[in-house]
Amino acid sequence: MSRLNPILNTDSYKLGHFLQYPPGVQAVSTYVTTRGSSVMPEIVFFGLQMFLKAYLAQAVTAADIEEAEEVAHLHGQPFDRQGWTHILTKHGGHMPVRIEALPEGMVVRRGIPLVQVTNTDPACFWLPGHLETALLRAVWYPSTVASSLRHIRRTLMPFLEKSCDDPETLMPTRLSEYGARGATSLEQAGLGGAANLLLFENTDTLAAVLHARRYYGAKMAGFSVPASEHTTMTAWGQEREAQAFAHMVDQFGDYPAYSVVSDSYDIHNAVSELWGKLLQARVRGKPGLLIVRPDSGDPIDTPVQVVAQLAYHFGTRLNGKGFKVLDDKVRVLQADGVSLRDITMILGRLEGMGFSAENISFGVGASQLQKVSRDTFSFTMKSTAIQDGDGRWRDMSRRPVTMHEKLPDLGRRAVIEEEGELTSIRLEELGGRVNHLSPVWENGTLLKDWTFEEVRQRARARHRLYG
């Protein structure tokens, strides 16, 4: 992707905001949060560091100013050439802002400030507002994907706790992400895929592991297994399906695990006759785990039937909680078009039949990366304090007479811990307490570089009351 002009990474109308503030303004303070309230923590804060390293680290150049001025004038907007030239000459092109943020991966209730931005140069009081478009976009999307996946994780955990010996170890492998082809762009696949890797560790989205590697220093944040697709299976023809399956065993049976899509023609014949009889000895002769994929058919009945068929042919053992676990040579992956409701129904049926949840895992695709919006958790960025010419800060907020929603907390904010929960207070009320909104960026310099493992541990931490 070609370099994006940092000046133009905003909304068109913001180009004229430098002319709209009252005289004497020195600074504006604005913060990112979510509207509404929630009893339990549900928002996973994630993604700011990727934006800081990928975009805000880019210094404005003279060529950027020339391009932005031409685009603004042709587009019908004024342009602050003096202001941007000041940033170039005085700050080396780096935007003079201070950004404070919660530790990434932290899980908070709605309404808690996640990021707070203030300009550090009085000549650039308009800059926090200019950054709103890019900064809010950088935070809402990966945070929303991570928050949604945390909800899935919390929903699955009771099934694992009831029927698995080691639910905490198993949980990260219960969901595999295959959303790259359904994403709108390579960047979206990387951002959403990295968010997935906070909660689950199986992925076929290379952009996800590259984002975690590039922006959070993770040598390898996600794992994959050799896997077939319908193209490679149907290339053999129906009459040679057994040979196609045998070829997969021969090629990949020495890997820790390998996945074979088995529904190209008749999933039940493939499981009972080919895997269960003809090829069972071949599968057992290799050290790797065969993962059978029944992608088509009824999304609930078919995978349950496949588990039962494999249990009949390969056998089972009872785990420490009295549930049946398939022979260690086989497992099932349902990877096509399952919703969270489908997953819970599948696990519920298996549990009712005496099968452990560890017998099956699930795949998610574009739905997890695409069926979200800024309104999923009502992300917003609000300017709540302004510093006048005399150096004093005062509150700022809209107050329409027809407005019925809760107003944002005003003034410059701090986030503290009270009785084990994070809460927002005015900065001037902080005193000697710890402010969890700590500086992460100032005037082009990254002040805090989180590792992916640090972020992941926070996102996975279980709440003392809500799990």
Side-chain angles (χ1 to χ4, degrees):
M1 182 179 71
S2 61
R3 179 181 178 277
L4 178 68
N5 187 328
I7 301 172
L8 299 176
N9 192 5
T10 190
D11 288 318
S12 305
Y13 70 96
K14 288 184 177 290
L15 294 173
H17 284 187
F18 72 101
L19 297 171
Q20 299 179 26
Y21 285 85
V25 173
Q26 295 190 53
V28 174
S29 181
T30 182
Y31 66 84
V32 177
T33 187
T34 50
R35 297 187 187 96
S37 61
S38 55
V39 174
M40 74 177 81
E42 61 175 333
I43 307 299
V44 180
F45 169 50
F46 178 60
L48 175 64
Q49 188 164 293
M50 293 188 282
F51 170 75
L52 297 178
K53 291 184 177 182
Y55 291 101
L56 207 57
Q58 296 181 15
V60 171
T61 66
D64 291 330
I65 295 173
E66 294 299 326
E67 180 189 39
E69 183 173 39
E70 179 183 4
V71 169
H73 290 165
L74 292 172
H75 193 44
Q77 290 289 346
F79 182 71
D80 187 8
R81 185 180 183 90
Q82 180 180 347
W84 287 106
T85 301
H86 171 79
I87 290 173
L88 175 62
T89 56
K90 184 173 181 179
H91 301 283
H94 291 290
M95 299 184 194
V97 292
R98 178 185 299 109
I99 299 178
E100 301 165 308
L102 296 180
E104 291 205 31
M106 187 167 278
V107 185
V108 300
R109 292 177 290 108
R110 293 194 188 208
I112 301 296
L114 306 173
V115 182
Q116 188 164 242
V117 185
T118 311
N119 58 290
T120 59
D121 184 337
C124 302
F125 57 85
W126 45 267
L127 200 49
H130 187 89
L131 286 171
E132 176 191 3
T133 307
L135 187 57
L136 185 57
R137 181 175 57 223
V139 170
W140 83 252
Y141 176 68
S143 295
T144 298
V145 173
S147 302
S148 299
L149 283 159
R150 185 175 182 275
H151 172 66
I152 292 176
R153 186 182 169 102
R154 290 185 68 252
T155 303
L156 298 186
M157 184 56 82
F159 292 99
L160 271 66
E161 288 178 330
K162 183 174 182 179
S163 67
C164 302
D165 288 338
D166 191 359
E168 292 290 347
T169 300
L170 281 169
M171 177 57 77
T173 64
R174 294 306 88 191
L175 221 62
S176 300
E177 190 258 306
Y178 307 115
R181 72 187 62 186
T184 60
S185 66
L186 180 63
E187 184 175 30
Q188 187 191 38
L191 295 172
N196 167 76
L197 289 174
L198 293 181
L199 286 307
F200 298 96
E201 294 174 15
N202 290 356
T203 184
D204 270 21
T205 299
L206 282 168
V209 297
L210 292 177
H211 270 61
R213 184 183 180 97
R214 183 172 297 130
Y215 300 117
Y216 294 93
K219 187 173 182 179
M220 181 48 61
F223 303 96
S224 180
V225 301
S228 68
E229 63 177 21
H230 289 108
T231 300
T232 60
M233 293 296 93
T234 58
W236 292 75
Q238 186 171 1
E239 70 283 357
R240 292 196 295 168
E241 184 176 36
Q243 292 172 258
F245 288 176
H247 184 69
M248 288 294 295
V249 178
D250 294 341
Q251 290 293 321
F252 304 112
D254 292 323
Y255 283 77
Y258 57 105
S259 172
V260 184
V261 63
S262 302
D263 69 328
S264 296
Y265 307 107
D266 183 341
I267 180 62
H268 299 297
N269 179 75
V271 174
S272 292
E273 299 301 320
L274 302 185
W275 292 125
K277 296 177 182 177
L278 184 63
L279 300 173
Q280 184 176 152
R282 203 182 204 110
V283 171
R284 291 188 180 280
K286 291 289 188 178
L289 170 71
L290 166 66
I291 301 171
V292 178
R293 281 171 44 210
D295 280 1
S296 60
D298 185 279
I300 298 166
D301 290 338
T302 301
V304 171
Q305 291 168 5
V306 169
V307 170
Q309 287 175 290
L310 289 173
Y312 178 79
H313 290 285
F314 281 82
T316 62
R317 62 175 174 84
L318 289 182
N319 65 16
K321 294 182 178 178
F323 285 85
K324 292 179 286 187
V325 179
L326 290 172
D327 184 277
D328 289 343
K329 288 297 179 183
V330 288
R331 290 293 183 271
V332 177
L333 169 63
Q334 178 62 23
D336 188 61
V338 285
S339 64
L340 180 57
R341 178 177 175 273
D342 293 335
I343 292 173
T344 58
M345 290 185 69
I346 291 168
L347 293 177
R349 287 196 186 182
L350 288 173
E351 184 181 295
M353 296 165 63
F355 285 105
S356 169
E358 66 191 275
N359 292 304
I360 190 168
S361 59
F362 303 92
V364 293
S367 62
Q368 197 54 53
L369 303 187
Q370 292 277 62
K371 291 183 179 179
V372 295
S373 74
R374 185 167 71 92
D375 293 330
T376 303
F377 292 106
S378 300
F379 274 85
T380 186
M381 186 168 175
K382 297 293 185 183
S383 296
T384 56
I386 190 166
Q387 187 180 41
D388 293 325
D390 58 5
R392 289 184 298 180
W393 286 92
R394 62 179 172 85
D395 295 348
M396 60 185 297
S397 176
R398 64 191 180 108
R399 294 178 180 273
V401 295
T402 57
M403 184 174 174
H404 300 294
E405 66 184 73
K406 179 181 178 292
L407 289 171
D409 293 328
L410 302 182
R412 292 178 296 163
R413 308 305 298 176
V415 175
I416 62 169
E417 185 174 332
E418 285 187 343
E419 298 181 354
E421 300 289 349
L422 294 182
T423 188
S424 174
I425 62 170
R426 286 181 174 271
L427 181 61
E428 55 266 28
E429 298 172 357
L430 182 62
R433 292 175 288 185
V434 174
N435 185 2
H436 291 276
L437 278 176
S438 59
V440 297
W441 182 272
E442 186 164 339
N443 302 340
T445 300
L446 184 70
L447 304 178
K448 183 62 184 178
D449 194 355
W450 298 113
T451 68
F452 198 76
E453 192 56 36
E454 287 173 322
V455 180
R456 176 182 270 171
Q457 287 179 8
R458 292 190 198 101
R460 293 183 181 182
R462 301 185 70 174
H463 191 274
R464 60 190 177 87
L465 296 178
Y466 305 111

